[in-house]
mmCIF file of all heavy atoms in Angstrom:
data_model
loop_
_atom_site.group_PDB
_atom_site.id
_atom_site.type_symbol
_atom_site.label_atom_id
_atom_site.label_comp_id
_atom_site.label_asym_id
_atom_site.label_seq_id
_atom_site.Cartn_x
_atom_site.Cartn_y
_atom_site.Cartn_z
ATOM 1 N N GLU A 118 34.660 -19.441 67.239
ATOM 2 C CA GLU A 118 35.711 -20.407 67.026
ATOM 3 C C GLU A 118 36.771 -20.314 68.108
ATOM 4 O O GLU A 118 37.481 -21.262 68.395
ATOM 5 C CB GLU A 118 36.347 -20.141 65.681
ATOM 6 C CG GLU A 118 35.378 -20.493 64.578
ATOM 7 C CD GLU A 118 35.952 -20.344 63.180
ATOM 8 O OE1 GLU A 118 37.117 -20.346 62.956
ATOM 9 O OE2 GLU A 118 35.096 -20.208 62.245
ATOM 10 N N MET A 119 36.826 -19.177 68.809
ATOM 11 C CA MET A 119 37.794 -19.023 69.924
ATOM 12 C C MET A 119 37.249 -19.440 71.262
ATOM 13 O O MET A 119 38.071 -19.775 72.167
ATOM 14 C CB MET A 119 38.185 -17.538 69.986
ATOM 15 C CG MET A 119 39.039 -17.110 68.877
ATOM 16 S SD MET A 119 39.457 -15.303 69.139
ATOM 17 C CE MET A 119 40.027 -14.822 67.547
ATOM 18 N N LYS A 120 35.966 -19.411 71.482
ATOM 19 C CA LYS A 120 35.427 -19.650 72.776
ATOM 20 C C LYS A 120 35.623 -21.008 73.402
ATOM 21 O O LYS A 120 35.565 -21.147 74.603
ATOM 22 C CB LYS A 120 33.921 -19.281 72.841
ATOM 23 C CG LYS A 120 33.031 -20.275 72.175
ATOM 24 C CD LYS A 120 31.588 -19.893 72.242
ATOM 25 C CE LYS A 120 30.707 -20.949 71.639
ATOM 26 N NZ LYS A 120 29.663 -21.371 72.481
ATOM 27 N N GLY A 121 35.942 -21.965 72.598
ATOM 28 C CA GLY A 121 36.252 -23.307 73.137
ATOM 29 C C GLY A 121 37.543 -23.401 73.901
ATOM 30 O O GLY A 121 37.712 -24.251 74.719
ATOM 31 N N LEU A 122 38.483 -22.518 73.543
ATOM 32 C CA LEU A 122 39.793 -22.572 74.192
ATOM 33 C C LEU A 122 40.186 -21.310 74.924
ATOM 34 O O LEU A 122 41.027 -21.399 75.855
ATOM 35 C CB LEU A 122 40.883 -22.839 73.107
ATOM 36 C CG LEU A 122 40.868 -24.191 72.459
ATOM 37 C CD1 LEU A 122 41.917 -24.266 71.383
ATOM 38 C CD2 LEU A 122 41.166 -25.254 73.488
ATOM 39 N N LEU A 123 39.656 -20.220 74.635
ATOM 40 C CA LEU A 123 40.046 -18.945 75.256
ATOM 41 C C LEU A 123 38.922 -18.437 76.188
ATOM 42 O O LEU A 123 37.745 -18.594 75.921
ATOM 43 C CB LEU A 123 40.395 -17.926 74.269
ATOM 44 C CG LEU A 123 41.543 -18.225 73.290
ATOM 45 C CD1 LEU A 123 41.744 -17.082 72.245
ATOM 46 C CD2 LEU A 123 42.864 -18.404 74.121
ATOM 47 N N SER A 124 39.311 -17.678 77.182
ATOM 48 C CA SER A 124 38.377 -16.983 78.041
ATOM 49 C C SER A 124 37.774 -15.836 77.318
ATOM 50 O O SER A 124 38.377 -15.318 76.290
ATOM 51 C CB SER A 124 39.096 -16.540 79.328
ATOM 52 O OG SER A 124 39.973 -15.440 79.002
ATOM 53 N N ILE A 125 36.643 -15.348 77.793
ATOM 54 C CA ILE A 125 36.009 -14.185 77.186
ATOM 55 C C ILE A 125 36.966 -12.986 77.230
ATOM 56 O O ILE A 125 37.055 -12.256 76.232
ATOM 57 C CB ILE A 125 34.655 -13.840 77.878
ATOM 58 C CG1 ILE A 125 33.648 -14.953 77.564
ATOM 59 C CG2 ILE A 125 34.119 -12.498 77.444
ATOM 60 C CD1 ILE A 125 33.269 -15.174 76.166
ATOM 61 N N ASN A 126 37.714 -12.798 78.354
ATOM 62 C CA ASN A 126 38.609 -11.698 78.410
ATOM 63 C C ASN A 126 39.735 -11.847 77.336
ATOM 64 O O ASN A 126 40.178 -10.809 76.771
ATOM 65 C CB ASN A 126 39.259 -11.564 79.766
ATOM 66 C CG ASN A 126 38.235 -11.012 80.790
ATOM 67 O OD1 ASN A 126 37.311 -10.297 80.379
ATOM 68 N ND2 ASN A 126 38.406 -11.283 82.013
ATOM 69 N N ASP A 127 40.238 -13.024 77.127
ATOM 70 C CA ASP A 127 41.282 -13.277 76.160
ATOM 71 C C ASP A 127 40.742 -12.989 74.739
ATOM 72 O O ASP A 127 41.436 -12.449 73.877
ATOM 73 C CB ASP A 127 41.859 -14.669 76.209
ATOM 74 C CG ASP A 127 42.855 -14.835 77.363
ATOM 75 O OD1 ASP A 127 43.279 -13.807 78.007
ATOM 76 O OD2 ASP A 127 43.207 -15.973 77.703
ATOM 77 N N ILE A 128 39.491 -13.408 74.482
ATOM 78 C CA ILE A 128 38.874 -13.138 73.137
ATOM 79 C C ILE A 128 38.771 -11.668 72.973
ATOM 80 O O ILE A 128 39.054 -11.089 71.878
ATOM 81 C CB ILE A 128 37.513 -13.906 73.054
ATOM 82 C CG1 ILE A 128 37.700 -15.381 73.095
ATOM 83 C CG2 ILE A 128 36.801 -13.461 71.746
ATOM 84 C CD1 ILE A 128 36.398 -16.232 73.156
ATOM 85 N N LYS A 129 38.276 -10.928 74.030
ATOM 86 C CA LYS A 129 38.098 -9.510 73.908
ATOM 87 C C LYS A 129 39.463 -8.856 73.622
ATOM 88 O O LYS A 129 39.540 -7.968 72.733
ATOM 89 C CB LYS A 129 37.540 -8.943 75.206
ATOM 90 C CG LYS A 129 37.291 -7.513 75.213
ATOM 91 C CD LYS A 129 36.657 -7.047 76.538
ATOM 92 C CE LYS A 129 36.338 -5.526 76.469
ATOM 93 N NZ LYS A 129 35.733 -5.123 77.751
ATOM 94 N N GLU A 130 40.510 -9.287 74.295
ATOM 95 C CA GLU A 130 41.816 -8.732 74.028
ATOM 96 C C GLU A 130 42.327 -9.038 72.627
ATOM 97 O O GLU A 130 42.930 -8.204 71.966
ATOM 98 C CB GLU A 130 42.862 -9.256 75.100
ATOM 99 C CG GLU A 130 44.169 -8.616 75.016
ATOM 100 C CD GLU A 130 44.205 -7.109 75.320
ATOM 101 O OE1 GLU A 130 43.371 -6.616 76.032
ATOM 102 O OE2 GLU A 130 45.117 -6.485 74.725
ATOM 103 N N THR A 131 42.043 -10.228 72.137
ATOM 104 C CA THR A 131 42.389 -10.617 70.767
ATOM 105 C C THR A 131 41.637 -9.769 69.756
ATOM 106 O O THR A 131 42.261 -9.327 68.775
ATOM 107 C CB THR A 131 42.095 -12.110 70.564
ATOM 108 O OG1 THR A 131 42.820 -12.866 71.502
ATOM 109 C CG2 THR A 131 42.439 -12.554 69.116
ATOM 110 N N LEU A 132 40.399 -9.526 69.974
ATOM 111 C CA LEU A 132 39.583 -8.748 68.973
ATOM 112 C C LEU A 132 39.751 -7.225 69.144
ATOM 113 O O LEU A 132 39.345 -6.482 68.270
ATOM 114 C CB LEU A 132 38.120 -9.165 69.132
ATOM 115 C CG LEU A 132 37.814 -10.642 68.862
ATOM 116 C CD1 LEU A 132 36.343 -10.863 68.996
ATOM 117 C CD2 LEU A 132 38.304 -11.015 67.420
ATOM 118 N N ARG A 133 40.326 -6.765 70.261
ATOM 119 C CA ARG A 133 40.467 -5.364 70.540
ATOM 120 C C ARG A 133 41.046 -4.618 69.317
ATOM 121 O O ARG A 133 40.496 -3.582 68.862
ATOM 122 C CB ARG A 133 41.257 -5.079 71.799
ATOM 123 C CG ARG A 133 41.348 -3.588 72.160
ATOM 124 C CD ARG A 133 42.170 -3.411 73.503
ATOM 125 N NE ARG A 133 43.446 -4.120 73.541
ATOM 126 C CZ ARG A 133 44.532 -3.731 72.872
ATOM 127 N NH1 ARG A 133 44.534 -2.639 72.086
ATOM 128 N NH2 ARG A 133 45.621 -4.447 72.966
ATOM 129 N N PRO A 134 42.208 -5.082 68.777
ATOM 130 C CA PRO A 134 42.762 -4.312 67.608
ATOM 131 C C PRO A 134 41.795 -4.255 66.434
ATOM 132 O O PRO A 134 41.806 -3.325 65.659
ATOM 133 C CB PRO A 134 44.034 -5.073 67.238
ATOM 134 C CG PRO A 134 44.357 -5.920 68.447
ATOM 135 C CD PRO A 134 43.078 -6.217 69.183
ATOM 136 N N LEU A 135 40.994 -5.275 66.269
ATOM 137 C CA LEU A 135 40.041 -5.294 65.179
ATOM 138 C C LEU A 135 38.870 -4.260 65.400
ATOM 139 O O LEU A 135 38.439 -3.676 64.479
ATOM 140 C CB LEU A 135 39.433 -6.703 64.964
ATOM 141 C CG LEU A 135 40.377 -7.837 64.822
ATOM 142 C CD1 LEU A 135 39.645 -9.170 64.535
ATOM 143 C CD2 LEU A 135 41.415 -7.605 63.748
ATOM 144 N N ASN A 136 38.479 -4.217 66.636
ATOM 145 C CA ASN A 136 37.344 -3.336 66.979
ATOM 146 C C ASN A 136 37.756 -1.905 67.142
ATOM 147 O O ASN A 136 36.975 -1.012 66.961
ATOM 148 C CB ASN A 136 36.696 -3.783 68.329
ATOM 149 C CG ASN A 136 35.882 -5.026 68.157
ATOM 150 O OD1 ASN A 136 35.136 -5.133 67.244
ATOM 151 N ND2 ASN A 136 35.980 -5.994 69.089
ATOM 152 N N GLU A 137 39.082 -1.627 67.401
ATOM 153 C CA GLU A 137 39.567 -0.266 67.608
ATOM 154 C C GLU A 137 40.338 0.242 66.440
ATOM 155 O O GLU A 137 40.909 1.335 66.511
ATOM 156 C CB GLU A 137 40.405 -0.235 68.877
ATOM 157 C CG GLU A 137 39.688 -0.483 70.167
ATOM 158 C CD GLU A 137 40.589 -0.539 71.368
ATOM 159 O OE1 GLU A 137 41.841 -0.338 71.195
ATOM 160 O OE2 GLU A 137 40.085 -0.671 72.444
ATOM 161 N N SER A 138 40.355 -0.467 65.356
ATOM 162 C CA SER A 138 41.139 -0.075 64.214
ATOM 163 C C SER A 138 40.607 1.170 63.539
ATOM 164 O O SER A 138 39.437 1.466 63.642
ATOM 165 C CB SER A 138 41.294 -1.177 63.238
ATOM 166 O OG SER A 138 40.044 -1.576 62.785
ATOM 167 N N ASP A 139 41.461 1.861 62.755
ATOM 168 C CA ASP A 139 41.021 3.037 62.042
ATOM 169 C C ASP A 139 40.338 2.661 60.730
ATOM 170 O O ASP A 139 40.178 1.473 60.409
ATOM 171 C CB ASP A 139 42.190 3.994 61.770
ATOM 172 C CG ASP A 139 43.289 3.306 60.919
ATOM 173 O OD1 ASP A 139 43.060 2.215 60.358
ATOM 174 O OD2 ASP A 139 44.330 3.838 60.849
ATOM 175 N N GLU A 140 39.961 3.642 60.028
ATOM 176 C CA GLU A 140 39.197 3.374 58.779
ATOM 177 C C GLU A 140 40.016 2.742 57.720
ATOM 178 O O GLU A 140 39.453 2.237 56.709
ATOM 179 C CB GLU A 140 38.569 4.706 58.268
ATOM 180 C CG GLU A 140 37.452 5.185 59.171
ATOM 181 C CD GLU A 140 36.742 6.457 58.655
ATOM 182 O OE1 GLU A 140 36.858 6.677 57.391
ATOM 183 O OE2 GLU A 140 36.082 7.098 59.432
ATOM 184 N N GLY A 141 41.336 2.764 57.863
ATOM 185 C CA GLY A 141 42.231 2.118 56.835
ATOM 186 C C GLY A 141 42.222 0.592 56.942
ATOM 187 O O GLY A 141 42.661 -0.091 56.053
ATOM 188 N N PHE A 142 41.664 0.123 58.087
ATOM 189 C CA PHE A 142 41.673 -1.364 58.282
ATOM 190 C C PHE A 142 40.358 -1.924 57.668
ATOM 191 O O PHE A 142 39.303 -1.385 57.777
ATOM 192 C CB PHE A 142 41.645 -1.636 59.856
ATOM 193 C CG PHE A 142 41.422 -3.070 60.162
ATOM 194 C CD1 PHE A 142 42.407 -4.021 59.957
ATOM 195 C CD2 PHE A 142 40.198 -3.474 60.641
ATOM 196 C CE1 PHE A 142 42.160 -5.322 60.278
ATOM 197 C CE2 PHE A 142 39.952 -4.763 60.999
ATOM 198 C CZ PHE A 142 40.892 -5.716 60.798
ATOM 199 N N SER A 143 40.523 -3.073 57.066
ATOM 200 C CA SER A 143 39.383 -3.753 56.475
ATOM 201 C C SER A 143 39.187 -5.105 57.223
ATOM 202 O O SER A 143 39.980 -6.017 57.076
ATOM 203 C CB SER A 143 39.617 -4.059 54.995
ATOM 204 O OG SER A 143 38.715 -4.971 54.495
ATOM 205 N N LEU A 144 38.086 -5.254 57.940
ATOM 206 C CA LEU A 144 37.803 -6.504 58.594
ATOM 207 C C LEU A 144 37.581 -7.569 57.548
ATOM 208 O O LEU A 144 37.930 -8.723 57.809
ATOM 209 C CB LEU A 144 36.567 -6.361 59.542
ATOM 210 C CG LEU A 144 36.191 -7.556 60.371
ATOM 211 C CD1 LEU A 144 37.333 -8.016 61.236
ATOM 212 C CD2 LEU A 144 34.938 -7.305 61.161
ATOM 213 N N GLU A 145 37.024 -7.216 56.439
ATOM 214 C CA GLU A 145 36.788 -8.203 55.402
ATOM 215 C C GLU A 145 38.161 -8.818 54.949
ATOM 216 O O GLU A 145 38.218 -10.037 54.725
ATOM 217 C CB GLU A 145 36.073 -7.590 54.186
ATOM 218 C CG GLU A 145 34.582 -7.388 54.448
ATOM 219 C CD GLU A 145 33.834 -6.990 53.159
ATOM 220 O OE1 GLU A 145 34.276 -7.369 52.105
ATOM 221 O OE2 GLU A 145 32.806 -6.336 53.323
#
Side-chain angles (χ1 to χ4, degrees):
E118 293 182 22
M119 291 180 194
K120 74 179 182 130
L122 289 176
L123 298 177
S124 70
I125 293 298
N126 285 335
D127 282 348
I128 295 170
K129 182 177 181 177
E130 186 62 30
T131 300
L132 298 180
R133 184 180 48 76
L135 308 182
N136 285 317
E137 294 177 358
S138 59
D139 60 12
E140 289 184 22
F142 171 75
S143 166
L144 183 58
E145 284 190 28

